[in-house]
Amino acid sequence: MAEHLGTADAGLAAVFERAFAPLEQAVEAKRIPGGVLGIIDLKHGRMTRALGSAQIMPDQRPMTLDTWFDLASLTKVIFTTTRILKLVDDGVVDLDAPVATLLPDFRQYHADAWERKITFRQCLGHQTPFPGVEPIYTYDRDPDLLRAFILQREWRAGPPVYSDINFILLGFVLERLAKVRTVRELDPGAGFAWSSDPQVTVATEDCAFRHRVICGDVHDENCYALQGSGHAGLFGTVASVLDFAQGLLDGTGASEQAIRLMRTPLSNKRTHGWEHPFDGWWGGSLCSGDTIGHTGFTGTSLLIDFERGRAVTLLTNRVHPTRHFDSGILTLRQTVCDLFNQP
């Protein structure tokens, strides 16, 4: 076990101990191989602790505070949302304009297609008719062809659900504006990367699609096939995630307008890019109403409570060596967050 007390006072240390206990129990019960818990409070400091294994097959490596994680859908909030809202600050993106204004070839052969009418705000809030899950990687392995496929396909429409396609499109916008082939050519931000050294990275799944244990390369199949996208692919450590959270809490990480939009609800579950509290939320029931958060499929999460000036991140490898196992991640997240926020 590795531990870093930082500048945390005794009160925050006590909060950390009670929030860390469920993670310790989950690792001891072999529900997850390992994890890192990190908390930050603007008034009382920060603490982090690592536990268990970063990899258990084919080799075994311990989890440390310097271990890198595939952050999965935390990419949506740490990278893509932040970049899109910066473009809003700069007057390049109008949130209520159709995404097709910056992707003019989107469904270009059908001028009246519903896809051409969806807006940046709808994509950020997952308020579009796109399907929730689509195995794009099964259609081809050429990233340019897959981009064309996504842009020209007649998508089946349904009720608004959480859909990676929203953020894949936002990633395309970032690529077009920067004149790069893939978002992997863009700066991922301080402390983050688009891949990492397998020797210092959490292993994810023993992948049937790629015939190997994934480590240091993105777990998400669609992101892998696109060779970079706006919905997944970011790697980071507990320190980099906490630094990002601190930037939002103290106002140094984004503009006042951008942070306000991140905190502004668009539906009963979502803000611009983020989630906010709702019944049964993975973030528990004890956070303040001025809280945002997000999860990543690989077993990551970040919760930021602006009213209390604090944040908690739980980083695990719950899909290692397989996603087809009940790791209890929802209950673990809820319990950790409630113990963190318990009066």
Side-chain angles (χ1 to χ4, degrees):
M1 181 184 299
E3 184 174 1
H4 173 61
L5 297 178
T7 58
D9 61 19
L12 186 62
V15 170
F16 184 90
E17 292 301 330
R18 72 188 184 204
F20 186 78
L23 173 59
E24 191 169 29
Q25 293 163 7
V27 172
E28 289 178 352
K30 300 188 184 305
R31 299 190 73 85
I32 56 175
V36 180
L37 181 67
I39 65 175
I40 186 169
D41 186 298
L42 291 183
K43 295 181 179 178
H44 303 287
R46 70 165 71 183
M47 286 187 67
T48 56
R49 186 181 295 164
L51 176 76
S53 299
Q55 183 170 358
I56 59 174
M57 64 171 290
D59 303 309
Q60 186 160 352
R61 291 180 290 111
M63 190 77 75
T64 74
L65 293 176
D66 296 321
T67 299
W68 285 71
F69 285 81
D70 177 342
L71 298 174
S73 283
L74 288 187
T75 305
K76 292 181 173 73
V77 291
I78 294 175
F79 178 77
T80 306
T81 295
T82 304
R83 294 326 191 265
I84 291 293
L85 294 183
K86 177 63 168 62
L87 292 171
V88 174
D89 291 339
D90 296 340
V92 176
V93 166
D94 176 351
L95 286 175
D96 293 312
V99 173
T101 58
L102 292 178
L103 294 176
D105 51 328
F106 189 22
R107 292 303 312 280
Q108 61 188 349
Y109 305 111
H110 301 273
D112 295 326
W114 65 262
E115 295 95 334
R116 291 187 60 81
K117 299 179 176 66
I118 62 166
T119 68
F120 286 93
R121 197 185 306 271
Q122 288 174 313
C123 285
L124 284 170
H126 296 280
Q127 298 298 298
T128 69
F130 288 114
V133 177
E134 188 71 23
I136 297 166
Y137 68 99
T138 65
Y139 293 98
D140 203 89
R141 296 200 181 189
D142 182 315
D144 294 325
L145 186 59
L146 286 178
R147 279 169 171 74
F149 169 77
I150 292 167
L151 290 172
Q152 303 309 329
R153 186 182 191 189
E154 181 179 354
W155 291 96
R156 65 184 187 276
V161 294
Y162 176 81
S163 174
D164 285 344
I165 298 168
N166 292 308
F167 276 75
I168 290 174
L169 291 171
L170 294 178
F172 288 175
V173 169
L174 296 177
E175 292 168 355
R176 293 285 183 88
L177 290 173
K179 298 183 178 358
V180 297
R181 184 183 180 192
T182 167
V183 294
R184 288 177 63 94
E185 296 177 50
L186 301 177
D187 180 2
F192 298 101
W194 296 116
S195 61
S196 58
D197 182 349
Q199 294 303 311
V200 295
T201 306
V202 157
T204 54
E205 197 162 17
D206 186 2
C207 179
F209 171 54
R210 283 171 273 182
H211 309 290
R212 58 185 171 88
V213 173
I214 307 303
C215 187
D217 195 7
V218 62
H219 173 263
D220 184 277
E221 294 94 342
N222 287 339
C223 182
Y224 172 78
L226 287 164
Q227 294 183 13
S229 65
H231 76 287
L234 199 66
F235 285 73
T237 65
V238 65
S240 55
V241 174
L242 287 180
D243 286 346
F244 171 81
Q246 180 170 339
L248 296 187
L249 287 169
D250 65 21
T252 62
S255 72
E256 182 179 349
Q257 174 183 243
I259 295 172
R260 176 177 54 79
L261 288 169
M262 294 177 196
R263 298 160 68 179
T264 301
L266 293 175
S267 68
N268 65 338
K269 291 184 177 182
R270 303 197 179 277
T271 72
H272 294 78
W274 295 75
E275 292 181 331
H276 65 83
F278 56 87
D279 289 342
W281 192 32
W282 63 267
S285 60
L286 298 181
C287 55
S288 80
D290 193 9
T291 298
I292 60 175
H294 212 283
T295 62
F297 184 79
T298 52
T300 61
S301 62
L302 173 61
L303 189 82
I304 304 175
D305 190 327
F306 288 93
E307 180 178 311
R308 296 170 180 163
R310 51 169 42 182
V312 56
T313 182
L314 175 63
L315 306 177
T316 79
N317 50 356
R318 68 104 186 173
V319 297
H320 180 60
T322 177
R323 74 183 74 183
H324 305 294
F325 173 75
D326 182 12
S327 65
I329 190 66
L330 174 59
T331 299
L332 176 60
R333 286 168 172 157
Q334 290 173 329
T335 304
V336 168
C337 289
D338 275 345
L339 289 172
F340 175 63
N341 286 309
Q342 183 178 302

